Amino acid sequence: MRGLPRELPPTAGLPLRLADLRPSRADLAAILAGQLQTPPLQLTCSGTAALLLALRVLHARQPGRSVVVVPAYTCPLVAIAVHQAGLQLRLCDLRPGHFDMDPQALAAACGEDTLAVLPTHLAGRVADVGTALAVAARSEAFVIEDAAQALGARSGGTSVGLRGDVGFFSLAAGKGLSIFEGGLLVSRDASLREALREAAEQQVPHRRAWEARRSVELLGLAALYRPRGLAFAYGRPLRRALRRGDPVAAVGDAFPAGIPLHRVGRWRQAVGANAAGRLPGFLATLERQAKARLARLRAIAGVEVFDDAPDTQGSWPCLLLQLPDERCRDRVLAQLWTRGLGVSRLFIHALPDYAYLADRVPPAPVPNARAFAQRTLTIGNSPWLDAATFERIATVIERAVS
């Protein structure tokens, strides 16, 4: 067994145990609402499905509006959800050197046709929701917090997702707690929560084939989400994609055109509920590990490490770094991306640069988003990343920038 390959994950997910697979009547959404101290959470079959339902409900409240303003650097699934909802995507460029939307660009993007604005909590870091709220209020638009990558993050002592009108989280593989695919909807507004519940009741069918598929995939996640199993399930496909020059496939940025909607079965809910008791301790471990390693990375001249903004406490699935330029970033990736160390990229492109999204994403001049895509990389924050391996990664980065 000693000679078998190992692969560290690019983001830190809570490993499942055999005992988690036992049936249970526990309510996963209620357990997580208690942990996060939120109003009741609504379980969905994916984070993207949660966004799709939110868009449909908000559009029913303001049917004369059809524009959804999103950061120009975000998950391609956001564009797919907006398109499937029958709405129009409008891109907002980022602040220079940051993942937040630029305030001036956001003000210019919002108007009487704007239905919603989507500030995005990226890689566990808490986004500037306050600016989005202020700009959206001037246009009487809604704010949807994209917290897909920030389960457990807090702002002002309160869970993210609650400052906007609606928020959503992801329970996909590698997103903290996972039922392979799943999502959560939240709103502080009781009438919106009821509208979201009714929409799910009316629009989301029982689809046994999809639930059977997700259950098999969850069993695979339980078996293979370990360093040796990931070498087969994640490492091999990654290296094959990079050998054929397809970084979009390597990071999993290529998605189908449609978002499946189906109800989450009782067994997958039980698996998540059984594992959820370990989630607070797991998130605390990730935070301690990340905070202990930030100083080493900050000491490297030319490297910016994204940390918590004032009065926020993010989650830490990975460490998000920005290097001086694209060539420097690529020197690091050339040495580390295929070595099984959990070093990767978040999203390959700004949204207008995905060829397969050309029919859903309008062309737009978004230089800051493109620069962010070209200069950033991530280091997985899994507890399996030991101190010696982390130092190896830091040394490669240090030499690349110097």
Side-chain angles (χ1 to χ4, degrees), residues 72-74 93-100 122-123 125 304 306 320-323 325-326 329 345-350 366-378:
Y73 179 82
T74 191
D93 202 7
L94 307 185
R95 287 171 42 198
H98 204 274
F99 61 85
D100 275 328
L122 204 65
R125 313 279 43 82
E304 179 181 0
F306 290 89
L320 179 61
L321 281 64
Q322 186 168 227
L323 275 67
D325 53 50
E326 183 179 13
R329 193 277 311 275
R345 294 171 65 179
L346 197 55
F347 307 120
I348 295 298
H349 299 304
V366 287
N368 295 334
R370 288 189 168 106
F372 195 81
Q374 292 164 355
R375 295 172 55 194
T376 51
L377 60 79
T378 58

Side-chain angles (χ1 to χ4, degrees), residues 62-307:
Q62 295 204 43
R65 295 171 178 246
S66 61
V67 169
V68 182
V69 179
V70 309
Y73 179 82
T74 191
C75 181
L77 283 168
V78 171
I80 294 171
V82 172
H83 183 265
Q84 188 163 328
L87 302 172
Q88 177 186 348
L89 192 78
R90 184 172 294 162
L91 299 176
C92 180
D93 202 7
L94 307 185
R95 287 171 42 198
H98 204 274
F99 61 85
D100 275 328
M101 290 181 284
D102 179 80
Q104 291 184 336
L106 181 58
C110 292
E112 293 181 355
D113 58 356
T114 305
L115 174 67
V117 178
L118 264 75
T120 301
H121 306 292
L122 204 65
R125 313 279 43 82
V126 177
D128 176 13
V129 178
T131 296
L133 288 168
V135 174
R138 293 198 291 268
S139 300
E140 298 183 348
F142 296 105
V143 172
I144 303 174
E145 286 186 58
D146 181 347
Q149 299 183 358
L151 183 67
R154 307 184 77 78
S155 177
T158 301
S159 172
V160 296
L162 292 174
R163 295 186 66 191
D165 298 283
V166 180
F168 68 93
F169 303 93
S170 173
L171 300 179
K175 301 279 183 66
L177 181 69
S178 177
I179 54 174
F180 190 82
E181 280 288 355
L184 297 164
L185 271 167
V186 67
S187 177
R188 51 188 163 72
D189 184 290
S191 67
L192 261 179
R193 290 199 302 274
E194 180 60 19
L196 291 164
R197 187 197 65 77
E198 290 178 355
E201 189 69 26
Q202 296 166 5
Q203 300 175 28
V204 180
H206 292 282
R207 302 175 81 176
R208 292 183 179 178
W210 267 108
E211 187 56 25
R213 171 178 171 174
R214 294 302 189 218
S215 296
V216 171
E217 289 167 333
L218 180 55
L219 285 171
L221 179 71
L224 297 176
Y225 197 81
R226 304 287 188 277
R228 299 203 190 281
L230 285 166
F232 168 77
Y234 168 70
R236 287 185 181 180
L238 166 73
R239 280 176 272 280
R240 280 199 302 267
L242 290 177
R243 281 196 299 268
R244 65 175 184 265
D246 189 354
V248 171
V251 302
D253 273 1
F255 298 101
I259 299 162
L261 288 176
H262 60 97
R263 302 194 185 193
V264 178
R266 175 56 61 185
W267 178 72
R268 284 203 298 136
Q269 292 188 52
V271 173
N274 293 335
R278 304 194 302 279
L279 180 63
F282 180 73
L283 295 176
T285 296
L286 298 186
E287 182 178 17
R288 286 193 299 270
Q289 177 170 280
K291 294 289 188 180
R293 291 171 174 174
L294 293 180
R296 172 69 176 97
L297 295 170
R298 285 200 197 96
I300 304 173
V303 172
E304 179 181 0
V305 189
F306 290 89
D307 198 353

Side-chain angles (χ1 to χ4, degrees), residues 5-51:
R6 291 169 51 88
E7 186 91 25
L8 299 181
T11 58
L14 176 67
L16 294 173
R17 298 174 178 172
L18 183 61
D20 296 333
L21 305 182
R22 70 184 188 277
S24 166
R25 301 296 295 178
D27 188 329
L28 173 59
I31 291 171
L32 292 177
Q35 290 182 0
L36 301 176
Q37 298 179 306
T38 67
L41 293 167
Q42 180 176 327
L43 184 66
T44 61
C45 61
S46 69
T48 319
L51 173 58

